[in-house]
């Protein structure tokens, strides 16, 4: 747990938003490989710092979809709505980036 906190502290002390976004993305992808639920908030922080449709975006969309499926299996309507809305937000990001030409 201390390792996670030190990594997050390191990311937050990084100078620019673009650098923070890249480090949060890398950290979130590592957590996702370990099936760690911390991957979602970390990947979300990456996109808060800088919108992109890179590996972090793709993994976050996949994690949201997994959470939505889990909610559906459990009959959790609120969970389904939550993750459907998050996926809609992600599609809006993709649309915005596609229109602006940023990726």
């Amino acid at each position: 747990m201390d390792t996670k906190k030190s990594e997050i502290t390191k990311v937050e002390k990084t100078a620019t938003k673009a650098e923070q976004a890249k480090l949060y993305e890398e950290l979130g992808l590592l957590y996702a490989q370990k099936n760690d639920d911390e991957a979602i908030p970390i990947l979300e922080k990456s996109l808060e710092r800088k919108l992109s449709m890179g590996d972090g975006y793709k993994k976050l969309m996949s994690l949201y979809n997994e959470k939505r499926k889990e909610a559906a299996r459990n009959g959790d309507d609120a969970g389904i709505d939550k993750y459907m809305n998050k996926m809609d937000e992600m599609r809006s990001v993709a649309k915005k980036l596609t229109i602006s030409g940023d990726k």
Side-chain angles (χ1 to χ4, degrees), residues 2-56:
D2 289 335
T3 304
K4 285 183 191 179
K5 289 182 181 179
S6 68
E7 286 295 317
I8 291 170
T9 300
K10 182 176 119 181
V11 168
E12 290 173 348
K13 290 181 180 179
T14 303
T16 69
K17 294 243 185 225
E19 290 171 330
Q20 287 178 359
K22 182 173 174 36
L23 290 171
Y24 273 123
E25 181 180 53
E26 290 172 3
L27 188 57
L29 290 171
L30 288 173
Y31 288 150
Q33 286 177 353
K34 296 178 182 180
N35 294 320
D36 190 325
D37 282 341
E38 281 297 306
I40 289 175
I42 292 171
L43 290 169
E44 288 172 338
K45 283 185 181 184
S46 172
L47 290 176
E48 287 170 9
R49 299 309 190 270
K50 183 176 188 284
L51 295 178
S52 79
M53 290 192 316
D55 291 337

Side-chain angles (χ1 to χ4, degrees), residues 28-29 32 43 54-64 66:
L29 290 171
L43 290 169
D55 291 337
Y57 170 92
K58 293 170 192 164
K59 178 50 79 175
L60 187 56
M61 184 67 106
S62 172
L63 292 171
Y64 285 160
E66 287 175 29

